[in-house]
Amino acid sequence: MPKIELHAHLNGSIRDSTLLELARELGDKGTIVFSDFEQVILKHDRSLVEVFKLFDLIHLITTDHKTVTKITKEVVEDFAAENVVYLELRTTPKRNDSKGMSKESYMQAVVEGLRAVNNVDVDFAHKLDAEAIENSHPANDRNSESRRKKICVRLLLSIDRRESTEAAMETVKLALQMKDLGVVGIDLSGNPVIGEWQTFLPALKFAKEQGLSVTLHSGEVPNSEEVHAMLDFLPGRIGHACYFEEDHWRKLKSFKIPVEICLTSNIRTETIPSLDVHHFADLYNSEHPVSLCTDDMGVFSTSLSHEYRLAASAYGLGMKEMYTLARDAINFIFAGNDAKEELKEIFALVSKELK
Ligand code: 5GP
């Protein structure tokens, strides 16, 4: 079944095998102690605090442009392999002076990764499509090319909650600069116990004014005031919504803000105790817009297909319900109408096969 992934962090989606390979290289150079790293990667039941410790470790080994390009290429290939037809991939642009990396060159390395994918066609920016396809498949190969798989990828630039107002603004300006390279929006993420909403608000407001879509990690820890402020901001979507109270739900539903649901992530980090009390069920039953997502398929050892299987078994969804759930996410992707129309066609074709 074709699927739409709206909440995936690049550095959380790296294959374990690639992480271990990169860690071994750094271990050999004496930069890190490989055995410590290996244990952290292979541990599967991490708390939210341990997850952020792991991200700090991951960021130690994904610091150069070549690695950023490699992991981007692999992450897109992995999503395409399980029939994700539209992927919004988010990542925090990072500066690393020792590697000559600026936020902009980090993002260029990500775009290089999109260009490097060769087992599936990647539509990441309409203006570049024709050129990219021409380069990767010669004209005399057109017939076989039309049968090749295709994935549409758009990028979200994440603001990390550790960042200052100025750094957040720099990320938004970079996103605006990269609109022609498939950047469609801004995400606010990072350790939820760090940072104040007011610090990021000027940059998020600016993003919205300039026509970028915004999604916010919301309610990963109890913080009622912040959740209210986030909902009042009217973001295009929110992620998680775990520690929501009655009046938050009321507001969310009346504003019809779509929710990115990350079942495995919420259970693993213990922000929700079990699937039978997960808010997916209530939102789904009240026909509130929701989309199943992986969050960090590497860190949480999951896949989008697995998230659908979980929802099917925990909430009794049949094939038709899962198809409708996957298809309806088209309504709240951040890409424009062209991408939406193309996705509708893809889902319509499958619908015929289902009948
Ligand atoms: P990156 O932005 O480096 O490509 O992906 C990893 C980063 O995404 C983490 O350092 C963190 O800032 C953010 N992230 C990944 N998973 C989560 C999550 O479950 N919650 C929050 N708040 N942030 C996350």
Side-chain angles (χ1 to χ4, degrees):
M1 191 177 72
K3 291 174 289 301
I4 289 178
E5 168 65 84
L6 299 180
H7 187 135
H9 298 266
L10 174 61
N11 276 282
S13 306
I14 307 171
R15 296 174 189 164
D16 277 0
S17 57
T18 298
L19 265 189
L20 288 169
E21 176 192 314
L22 294 168
R24 200 169 282 120
E25 279 171 22
L26 283 193
D28 292 345
K29 287 184 194 156
T31 317
I32 59 165
V33 179
F34 175 69
S35 55
D36 292 355
F37 197 92
E38 188 182 23
Q39 273 175 7
V40 183
I41 293 182
L42 298 177
K43 185 174 187 231
H44 284 308
D45 50 342
R46 293 179 196 97
S47 67
L48 198 60
V49 173
E50 285 174 324
V51 164
F52 282 97
K53 273 196 195 141
L54 176 59
F55 279 126
D56 287 343
L57 276 177
I58 291 176
H59 290 149
L60 276 179
I61 61 167
T62 58
T63 42
D64 63 84
H65 296 105
K66 208 175 103 217
T67 304
V68 173
T69 297
K70 174 184 164 73
I71 61 173
T72 306
K73 172 182 183 285
E74 289 181 355
V75 167
V76 172
E77 286 177 353
D78 288 349
F79 276 114
E82 55 161 342
N83 212 8
V84 169
V85 289
Y86 177 88
L87 163 66
E88 263 172 40
L89 187 60
R90 57 186 77 190
T91 193
T92 322
K94 296 167 192 79
R95 237 182 89 176
N96 183 351
D97 293 339
S98 69
K99 303 274 180 184
M101 182 186 276
S102 62
K103 282 187 171 184
E104 187 175 352
S105 71
Y106 173 92
M107 285 311 303
Q108 278 163 357
V110 170
V111 171
E112 275 315 303
L114 301 182
R115 289 202 173 103
V117 174
N118 51 28
N119 62 356
V120 54
D121 289 334
V122 181
D123 159 0
F124 65 97
H126 278 288
K127 282 192 181 169
L128 296 180
D129 266 353
E131 188 193 343
I133 290 174
E134 185 57 48
N135 289 342
S136 55
H137 314 294
N140 61 8
D141 208 18
R142 275 285 167 266
N143 285 340
S144 60
E145 179 238 306
S146 63
R147 286 196 298 273
R148 273 168 60 93
K149 267 177 97 159
K150 180 172 165 187
I151 181 169
C152 180
V153 182
R154 293 294 183 268
L155 299 170
L156 305 181
L157 269 49
S158 300
I159 294 170
D160 188 314
R161 294 184 63 112
R162 289 178 291 198
E163 290 184 298
S164 64
T165 305
E166 292 70 35
M169 196 61 98
E170 194 192 338
T171 296
V172 173
K173 286 184 182 157
L174 178 57
L176 289 169
Q177 214 177 295
M178 294 187 68
K179 267 181 150 179
D180 284 347
L181 291 169
V183 175
V184 289
I186 294 290
D187 155 57
L188 175 67
S189 56
N191 196 334
V193 299
I194 295 176
E196 299 291 326
W197 170 246
Q198 290 302 327
T199 307
F200 319 113
L201 188 55
L204 294 169
K205 264 189 182 160
F206 179 64
K208 229 179 171 190
E209 283 159 14
Q210 295 296 314
L212 287 168
S213 298
V214 175
T215 177
L216 305 170
H217 281 62
S218 185
E220 288 176 284
V221 290
N223 188 344
S224 176
E225 214 177 299
E226 182 178 273
V227 172
H228 273 300
M230 285 180 163
L231 295 173
D232 291 337
F233 176 76
L234 293 177
R237 300 192 304 256
I238 61 153
H240 297 298
C242 299
Y243 289 90
F244 268 37
E245 297 158 11
E246 266 322 301
D247 42 353
H248 301 136
W249 291 126
R250 221 170 295 126
K251 205 177 253 185
L252 176 92
K253 287 178 180 173
S254 73
F255 293 167
K256 295 195 167 54
I257 300 170
V259 183
E260 303 151 1
I261 297 278
C262 309
L263 296 173
T264 298
S265 161
N266 297 159
I267 299 300
R268 284 271 168 87
T269 56
E270 294 175 0
T271 42
I272 300 288
S274 63
L275 286 180
D276 50 321
V277 294
H278 196 285
H279 45 283
F280 172 84
D282 172 62
L283 291 174
Y284 180 79
N285 290 332
S286 50
E287 296 182 8
H288 187 83
V290 286
S291 173
L292 291 177
C293 308
T294 53
D295 200 6
D296 298 290
M297 67 172 171
V299 166
F300 297 122
S301 314
T302 187
S303 67
L304 194 52
S305 304
H306 181 66
E307 297 304 301
Y308 274 85
R309 275 196 294 273
L310 274 184
S313 63
Y315 311 112
L317 305 189
M319 197 59 187
K320 260 199 174 148
E321 284 93 358
M322 290 207 284
Y323 166 83
T324 308
L325 181 62
R327 184 201 57 198
D328 288 357
I330 297 174
N331 298 326
F332 36 95
I333 66 169
F334 287 166
N337 284 336
D338 287 354
K340 284 185 175 156
E341 289 310 315
E342 219 170 293
L343 289 171
K344 280 180 194 164
E345 279 174 28
I346 291 172
F347 277 91
L349 274 177
V350 176
S351 158
K352 282 186 197 144
E353 285 168 22
L354 279 180
K355 278 175 190 160

